[in-house]
Each structure stands twice: as C-alpha cells, then as structure tokens.
Amino acid sequence: MKLLDNIVNFKCTPERLVYNSDEYKIYGCSVNSFEYPDIQVSKYGTATIKGNVQELNLGVEYTVKAKEISDKYGVGYEVINIKREKPTTLAATRNFLYEILTPNQTDTLLEAYPDIVDRIMNNRLDDIDLNKTKGIKDYTFNVIKQKVIENFKLADLVEEFRGLFSLSIIKKLYDKYPSVEKIKEVIRTEPYECLCRLSGIGFKTADGMLLTLEKESKQCKENGKNPILFFGFDLKPSYQRAKACVDYILNENEANGNTYVKVGDLKKQFEILVPEAIANLPLILKGDNDVIFDRESLSVCRKETYETEKYIAEKIKEGLSINTKWDCDCSKFRSLDGFDLTLDQCKTSEYMCIYNIVMLVGYGGAGKSSSTQAFVNLLKHYNKSFLLLAPTGRAAKVLAGFTGENAMTIHRGLGYMPPNDWNFNSEHPLPYDVVIVDEFSMVDIFLFKHLLGAIDFNRTKLLIIGDDAQIPSVGAGNVLYDLLCYKKIPTITLDKVFRYGKGGLSTVATDARTQTEYLDKNKKGMQVFGEDQSYIFMPLQQDEIVDYTVKLYKTLLTKGYNVEDIAVLSCYNVGDYGVIELNKRLQEAVNPNPDAKIVFGDSEFRLNDIVMNYANDYKAVLYNEEFLDDKNTTFIANGESGMVDKIGHNSMVSNYDGTLIYYDKGKLKNIRLAYAITTHKSQGGQFKVVILITPRSHTFMLNSNLLYVGISRAKEKCYHLGEIKTVNNALKKKENFDRKTLLLGFLQAS
C-alpha cells in the first residue's frame, strides 16, 4: 500500500543478504506481486530493502514500512520500520525456536515454558529455572533472548522513537534499561550521562543527537503536538553538558597517553566544543568529585587517574624500603646452553637475590631473554615459586617459549573477571616468591596499579623487564619511562645486541633505534643486509606495495613457512595500505575457495583463516559438539592468534593452540583476520618472517620507534617494502615519550 511522500507498507520475505555491516544492510526480498503490484523489483525478481535494520532471517516474512527511493542502482526501499509478526500459537512459537535450537531443545524449552516469547518480551524472567531445561543453559538461553528481542522487540522500539536513534543505539539502550518508559525517563533527566556511557557513543555524537532531539521537541510543542521526548531544562548552557564535555576532554587526553591536562588547554578545548556552557567550568573544577584541579601546577585530571599514579608511587617506595635477601649461589647460573652470560646479564640474578624490585631493560636481541631464563633456573634450583606475566597473549606466549615455563597475561594472572573483580588484590595477594613481568613498556597505569595491589613485598619480589626504545603503552601513562627516570630502582641495562647474524637484522634494528640512516639512497634496486641476508629492503613505489606483498607472501608459503610464521605489518588499520585491505587481499590469495565461510559486517571469515582476538575475553565459550554452556568457559587474551576450525550457520569455532573457542555472531566483533596486523599490535610478539610495509601515505604515523618495533619482531628475516625517502623521513622522527604524567612527581616527592 502506497502512502504520502513515497512511503509504502508491504510484506516481504528476505531471500539473500546483498550487503552487511553493523549500521547498514541491504536485502533482496520476494514480494507477492498480486497483493503489492506497485512494489518495484530488480532484474533478479526481488525488491531491494536497505537501511539501519536488525539482522533478518532469510525465508521469513516481515512487515515493512519504507520510503521508495531511486538511485543509480535502481528503485529500492529505505526501511523506516520492519517487524516480524510475533508468534501467537504454540506451533508458531515452535517454528520460530527451530531457527535457533535443535528440535529436542525446542521441545524441552516449550514443555517447561510455552509462553517463553512473551516472557522475554515483557522481561518476566525472574522465575526461569534452567535446571528444568536439559541442554539449555545460560549461554544458549541468552542467545534465545537476543533473537526474540531482535525479531520482535526492536521493531517496536524503533517505531516508538520514530528514527531519533539508530538501531545500534536502541539495542544498547534496551540492554541497559528494562523498558521504554525507563529509557525515556533517563534520557529526559540524565541525557548526557545516559548516552555517553553507552559503548561506542562519544560526547560529540551524543551532543549532536541530543541537541537535534531538543530542537525537534521544541518544534513539536510550538506546533501543538506531543514530542516523543522532552527535557525539563535547556541543554546548551547546562551543567550536565559541561560536565560531559570535561569528561570527554580528560578521556581523550588519556587516550593520547597523558594523565593530566593544563587548565588553560582544557579551557580552550571547552570553549570550542560547548561555549554556551562556559559558566559551569569553574563549578566543575571547584566542586566535582570526579575531577581534581591542582591550583599549584594548574593541572586537571580525573580523580581515579590521580589516585592511581599516587598509589603506584607509594607501593614502589614501599617495595624499595623492604629488601629481602636470599642466600643463593648465583655463580652456578652464569652460563646458559653452553654459553657464558655477560657480567651485566649475571646481574639480574644477583640483584634479585638482594632487592625486592629490580628492572631489566635492553633492546631487542640484547640478552634479556637469556638473563630471565638463567634467573628462572636459579628459582627452580632453590625451590622458589614464581609467576611469569606479560601484558598480551602474544607476549605471554613468547615469554613461555624462551623460559620453557607457563606464562600468562597480567589480567589472567590476577584472576580478573569483568566488570571489576580481581581474585588477587591487597586482601588476597599473589602467593609467589617472585613475579616477573615482561614487555613492560606496554603496561599502563591502571593495569600496573592492580598488579602492585596484588603484591605483598614482605613476601614477593618484582622483576620488571622492558625495552625503553619501544613505543609506550596504548593506555594512559608512561610507566616504564617514569620508573627509569626515578633512578632509585636497581636497574640492569643491556645494550649489546646478540640475537642476529653479523650486519643483518641486529645492525638495522640498532640503526632504527638510534635514528641512523642505513639505506644507501644512491643505490638502485634491492638492498640486502647481513651475512645471513636477514634484512632485505625492496624499493617499491606506493602503488606496487600491496601486489608485491601478496606475491612475496605466497612465495614464502612455498618455501616451507606457514601462515603463523609470517607477519605482514602496517601502521594503519584502514586505507589502501592498511591492515583491513591487506587481509582481504591475502585471504583471497592464500584461502580463495573455502569449504565454508561466515560474514560479519565487512569481514568474511573462511575455514582455515588465521585470526586474532582483539579483546580480552574472560568468558570465552569452549566448543562442545553436544551443547554450549557459558559455565564451560576459559580466558582468551587480547592479541592471541588462532585458526578458524569450524563454521556453522551463524557461528564459528577458532583453534587457539588446541583450545577450541565458540563464537556466535555477537562475539565475532572481537575477531579479525590476522594475515596482516598493525605494528602496534605486533609489539611483544616474534615471527620467523616479517613483511614490513611503509608506503609514502603512512609518513605521518611512521617514526623511528615504529620501524624499530617492526624490524625487531623478525627472528629470521625481515622484508621491508617502500621508498628510501619514506624510511629516512621516519628515522628523523621519534615517538613522543614526553607524556604529561604525575607519576614521576609523586615518586620524587618526599
């Protein structure tokens, strides 16, 4: 049926998914041409519906309200609202559940709760007892719940808010608040706090939506209509808006690594973003409990950040004041695998037998691993207990590899369970004689606080291992650098590189670290370094790089390397030379015809693809062919790589070194292809072969530290693709280690 302004109502059945992303989808749908003769179809005989819609089930009928549009692709229908009729009979409910569950699971669930769809939609779940539903536990039930909400409830919510919010925001609001009435109440009374606390919604986005909503609400009132939402106060000059803006500025400042901002800089940014609310800024600085303004230094920071750095300083000083001496003969551990350690390397064990906090710093290949392994041998000999930790799963795997002992992420070692539960803390400290933390440059202030909080220095010593030439942590703070500047922590510095063959990777990595131009700018063609030819620079024009990368990758696979041995490194995720595009090209080259695949957003995962987990998952579901249960879980760290092992209709199983993890589509957002990764993401890892690409368009991001990190990830060979001029320009720049932090000042205070 056609209405005004090209608005049409009709029923259709999605037959194929043409395009899929989180925020936009296109479906080809069958339509009854006798019932809806005015609906235009494509040459494929299907009507095209598109828009910010939930995932639709193919072969299922939906009722659509849409706007007819014409573009270069022909006539299509931009969805205003789309919904599926709620099952009203037991038979219809059974047919719906068959789409999610096995027949046995469906029958079991309906026997116990025949009105399960109504219960979920009306949030009547308090008396649900999953002990009555064999084969359906928490995980499976949550899948059912999400499917019911997506199929029946979201459409009602979209219609209720009449396009004011996107589908993704409505989903997040519904997940957080139990009813439409509660959503409206919170948005009306606490609009900025409500939206800014939703995952992925920043202040600028929230501010734009709320000001538009306020304007539309005022226009409705002026026209004598009832607005969908209204506010009891003016948003632009409000305290709420001002506070949200301050929080945004401080959070953005921390995202850049700093822990405070000068009040003058804060004011400048504030006046650009929300000039109408400037009268509230002094009130926030004076009396807000979440913000600390130091009048002496004219610095502003979040209270949590201030207290975190202060706590770290206090714990470090406490640890330095306690020196538990061990009576160990370190001379027995001055050699490793038939090679004598240097005097500096031997100091690691010697210092750890004297002091409670020790730092071991050195460049890639300088012998930190050998020093650590020798110390671990001493600990085992004297029956000392120890815990090996690293910030990421990849770094933990490397640490376990060279020590021959179990290693884990810091989060896992402390028994972290979201949202903020740590099994080991000040009340329940770690029960070890020594805690060893590798790749410490990647540790931010908040993670370090939790680690220190779990260490009782009367019982436990701490060994910090890091490379101060690597890029600092992604999170706030510059902990390794600040601790080194403090100069009161016993420190062993290793500066002689042993790892690589003469004149090869070792020389190039050292030159990158010291910002020395090592390429002959007058030489044409390939430049090879080292007796073992371990570093090869291939001069290529920017538009040649991707094709050459794919060709080289395929060649390496024919020479006995596998996909897990090779890392393609790029500065950026996006763009023609970014990780996303590289992964698509490499996937198509090495895994072109999979037996099975699954599409999620812009990503396609194929059987036998190499993938990486991009977020700590504390409840990763272990795959079981019989049934899935979210009590049967494990921990998968950010940075762990695996291989796609199985693909189902709407799910995938990845193999992480023998551990099979199940992903439904809700969890796939944490997974990405990993033929190529960013140089930042590679930090802490090692690969037999690195293909490092440095196109001219990456000049802004490239610097000597990134080059050093990329080159030093290679154990055997590094192929470097780009232009000599681009590399030399990068060598002139250095990552800014001069972050604005409070920690060093707290350490130096008496």
Side-chain angles (χ1 to χ4, degrees):
M1 181 174 67
K2 200 160 189 175
L3 306 176
L4 298 175
D5 300 321
N6 291 327
I7 304 299
V8 294
N9 289 325
F10 61 97
K11 291 184 178 181
C12 68
T13 303
E15 300 295 346
R16 65 189 181 99
L17 178 60
V18 179
Y19 176 80
N20 183 23
S21 72
D22 282 346
E23 297 294 334
Y24 200 82
K25 296 178 178 66
I26 302 174
Y27 287 90
C29 305
S30 60
V31 178
N32 188 324
S33 58
F34 295 102
E35 190 173 354
Y36 304 104
D38 295 332
I39 299 299
Q40 306 274 333
V41 298
S42 70
K43 62 182 181 181
Y44 304 104
T46 56
T48 302
I49 65 170
K50 59 185 74 175
N52 184 228
V53 300
Q54 70 268 32
E55 185 175 329
L56 307 178
N57 291 337
L58 302 183
V60 173
E61 188 177 69
Y62 290 84
T63 301
V64 181
K65 181 180 181 181
K67 184 175 183 178
E68 186 177 287
I69 56 172
S70 296
D71 54 28
K72 63 181 181 181
Y73 302 107
V75 176
Y77 298 90
E78 193 78 34
V79 175
I80 298 170
N81 191 26
I82 183 167
K83 64 174 134 180
R84 177 179 182 179
E85 297 302 320
K86 188 181 75 172
T88 55
T89 66
L90 188 61
T93 303
R94 179 174 281 104
N95 288 335
F96 167 71
L97 292 175
Y98 279 165
E99 299 171 18
I100 311 167
L101 307 173
T102 66
N104 285 339
Q105 287 175 320
T106 298
D107 292 340
T108 300
L109 180 62
L110 290 179
E111 184 177 345
Y113 304 104
D115 59 342
I116 189 61
V117 172
D118 278 330
R119 283 173 172 264
I120 293 172
M121 289 190 62
N122 296 302
N123 207 26
R124 296 188 290 108
L125 302 174
D126 291 343
D127 61 341
I128 295 288
D129 183 2
L130 297 183
N131 291 319
K132 298 179 180 179
T133 54
K134 186 180 179 182
I136 300 176
K137 301 305 174 189
D138 289 344
Y139 184 88
T140 306
F141 187 77
N142 284 332
V143 171
I144 299 168
K145 182 179 173 182
Q146 284 302 117
K147 283 290 182 182
V148 171
I149 291 169
E150 287 178 8
N151 276 280
F152 309 121
K153 192 68 179 180
L154 284 179
D156 295 339
L157 290 172
V158 169
E159 192 166 14
E160 182 74 31
F161 289 110
R162 299 178 208 165
L164 294 175
F165 301 120
S166 70
L167 182 73
S168 60
I169 292 176
I170 289 173
K171 278 184 180 179
K172 291 170 183 175
L173 287 168
Y174 188 75
D175 286 342
K176 193 168 183 177
Y177 304 104
S179 66
V180 174
E181 290 71 27
K182 185 62 179 179
I183 293 172
K184 287 183 176 181
E185 179 191 342
V186 174
I187 293 176
R188 183 176 61 80
T189 58
E190 302 172 356
Y192 285 95
E193 184 174 355
C194 170
L195 292 188
C196 290
R197 289 191 175 180
L198 296 177
S199 172
I201 309 297
F203 168 75
K204 290 183 178 180
T205 301
D207 192 46
M209 286 192 297
L210 289 171
L211 293 180
T212 300
L213 179 56
E214 182 183 48
K215 182 180 178 180
E216 292 179 357
S217 297
K218 287 180 177 179
Q219 288 175 348
C220 280
K221 282 189 172 183
E222 290 170 0
N223 295 329
K225 299 178 181 178
N226 290 323
I228 301 171
L229 286 169
F230 63 94
F231 307 99
F233 56 94
D234 289 334
L235 295 185
K236 281 190 174 181
S238 67
Y239 183 93
Q240 279 197 33
R241 188 177 183 226
K243 178 59 168 59
C245 182
V246 169
D247 290 342
Y248 166 75
I249 294 170
L250 293 179
N251 286 327
E252 284 294 294
N253 186 61
E254 288 189 14
N256 291 324
N258 305 299
T259 60
Y260 71 86
V261 61
K262 289 292 185 179
V263 69
D265 294 332
L266 174 71
K267 186 178 179 183
K268 287 178 184 176
Q269 294 180 62
F270 189 97
E271 288 178 327
I272 293 171
L273 292 167
V274 291
E276 305 90 346
I278 189 66
N280 293 291
L281 185 56
L283 300 175
I284 294 170
L285 297 179
K286 182 180 179 180
D288 193 277
N289 292 329
D290 296 331
V291 177
I292 287 183
F293 174 40
D294 187 327
R295 295 185 179 278
E296 185 176 339
S297 64
L298 298 178
S299 303
V300 185
C301 62
R302 294 191 309 121
K303 183 180 180 182
E304 181 187 5
T305 306
Y306 179 93
E307 292 178 343
T308 293
E309 291 198 286
K310 188 176 182 181
Y311 177 84
I312 291 171
E314 291 170 350
K315 282 290 292 189
I316 290 293
K317 290 178 182 179
E318 175 192 319
L320 292 174
S321 69
I322 305 169
N323 288 320
T324 305
K325 292 182 171 56
W326 290 347
D327 185 16
C328 300
D329 185 358
C330 296
S331 64
K332 295 179 180 179
F333 305 93
R334 291 176 179 172
S335 63
L336 193 68
D337 299 328
F339 295 93
D340 291 336
L341 301 181
T342 67
L343 292 175
D344 284 336
Q345 286 178 303
C346 292
K347 287 180 181 177
T348 302
S349 295
E350 294 167 1
Y351 278 26
M352 288 301 299
C353 289
I354 300 172
Y355 306 109
N356 273 33
I357 304 178
V358 175
M359 298 181 68
L360 172 62
V361 295
Y363 311 124
K368 299 189 300 294
S369 300
S370 298
S371 302
T372 305
Q373 190 175 348
F375 177 53
V376 168
N377 290 343
L378 179 146
L379 293 172
K380 292 190 312 185
H381 180 80
Y382 287 101
N383 294 317
K384 302 289 187 182
S385 59
F386 57 90
L387 177 64
L388 301 179
L389 301 175
T392 67
R394 185 177 294 279
K397 188 179 292 185
V398 172
L399 178 59
F402 68 73
T403 60
E405 303 292 333
N406 184 42
M408 60 187 73
T409 65
I410 298 173
H411 284 87
R412 189 169 189 177
L414 298 183
Y416 175 69
M417 291 297 291
N420 201 30
D421 291 329
W422 302 78
N423 288 340
F424 294 103
N425 49 47
S426 58
E427 295 182 0
H428 300 95
L430 291 164
Y432 301 97
D433 296 312
V434 180
V435 172
I436 300 172
V437 187
D438 198 10
E439 295 293 347
F440 193 79
S441 62
M442 302 168 70
V443 176
D444 64 29
I445 58 170
F446 301 108
L447 185 54
F448 193 38
K449 173 195 173 184
H450 286 293
L451 176 62
L452 288 175
I455 293 177
D456 178 359
F457 285 110
N458 290 297
R459 158 72 195 273
T460 303
K461 294 171 179 276
L462 174 64
L463 174 60
I464 294 169
I465 307 170
D467 182 348
D468 59 328
Q470 292 196 25
I471 46 185
S473 64
V474 174
N478 203 359
V479 185
L480 179 63
Y481 185 77
D482 286 342
L483 294 181
L484 287 171
C485 289
Y486 182 42
K487 297 186 182 302
K488 290 188 179 181
I489 300 174
T491 301
I492 304 106
T493 302
L494 306 178
D495 51 18
K496 183 179 179 181
V497 178
F498 301 99
R499 181 187 292 168
Y500 308 121
K502 186 177 179 181
L505 278 167
S506 63
T507 298
V508 175
T510 300
D511 287 343
R513 174 174 52 78
T514 58
Q515 298 182 277
T516 303
E517 291 186 5
Y518 57 87
L519 295 173
D520 185 347
K521 57 187 175 185
N522 297 314
K523 185 175 180 180
K524 303 292 184 182
M526 183 170 62
Q527 297 189 40
V528 181
F529 292 73
E531 297 175 354
D532 55 359
Q533 301 184 341
S534 54
Y535 176 88
I536 300 169
F537 181 80
M538 179 60 68
L540 295 170
Q541 296 296 314
Q542 181 165 275
D543 58 3
E544 300 174 307
I545 287 177
V546 175
D547 286 341
Y548 193 92
T549 298
V550 174
K551 181 182 176 182
L552 176 58
Y553 197 101
K554 292 173 70 176
T555 301
L556 290 168
L557 293 178
T558 66
K559 292 185 175 183
Y561 295 106
N562 60 52
V563 293
E564 293 174 313
D565 296 328
I566 310 166
V568 178
L569 305 184
S570 173
C571 283
Y572 289 98
N573 276 304
V574 299
D576 292 341
Y577 309 96
V579 165
I580 294 172
E581 183 61 28
L582 284 165
N583 272 315
K584 288 179 180 177
R585 290 288 305 277
L586 290 165
Q587 180 193 51
E588 194 57 37
V590 304
N591 193 13
N593 299 303
D595 293 329
K597 63 183 182 181
I598 186 171
V599 177
F600 179 78
D602 292 334
S603 298
E604 180 177 296
F605 301 103
R606 302 174 179 178
L607 200 63
N608 298 321
D609 273 337
I610 184 169
V611 294
M612 179 178 285
N613 189 60
Y614 266 66
N616 285 332
D617 190 347
Y618 305 95
K619 290 188 175 182
V621 179
L622 289 162
Y623 178 69
N624 185 318
E625 291 187 2
E626 298 297 322
F627 66 92
L628 296 168
D629 184 356
D630 68 358
K631 291 184 174 64
N632 189 27
T633 62
T634 188
F635 172 79
I636 298 293
N638 179 2
E640 286 200 47
S641 59
M643 188 166 288
V644 178
D645 189 86
K646 293 177 176 62
I647 290 191
H649 176 62
N650 276 306
S651 62
M652 184 178 90
V653 177
S654 288
N655 188 335
Y656 297 93
D657 290 333
T659 300
L660 298 179
I661 301 299
Y662 174 85
Y663 294 93
D664 60 23
K665 279 205 167 182
K667 281 281 186 81
L668 284 181
K669 63 179 183 292
N670 296 333
I671 301 296
R672 298 182 193 175
L673 293 173
Y675 299 99
I677 58 177
T678 63
T679 311
H680 281 85
K681 204 70 178 176
S682 75
Q683 189 164 317
Q686 289 182 3
F687 309 87
K688 288 183 179 180
V689 181
V690 164
I691 303 173
L692 178 63
I693 73 163
T694 54
R696 184 172 60 254
S697 60
H698 289 187
T699 297
F700 177 79
M701 175 70 79
L702 283 167
N703 56 51
S704 60
N705 306 90
L706 270 178
L707 289 180
Y708 170 67
V709 169
I711 295 165
S712 61
R713 296 311 92 200
K715 293 195 290 184
E716 296 180 7
K717 282 188 181 293
C718 175
Y719 295 90
H720 189 167
L721 316 181
E723 297 177 56
I724 293 175
K725 184 179 180 181
T726 301
V727 176
N728 287 341
N729 285 336
L731 288 169
K732 294 174 184 176
K733 299 188 294 180
K734 200 173 185 73
E735 179 85 11
N736 182 15
F737 287 93
D738 189 26
R739 294 181 170 184
K740 295 182 175 69
T741 66
L742 301 166
L743 178 57
L744 183 58
F746 285 138
L747 286 166
Q748 293 173 335
S750 56

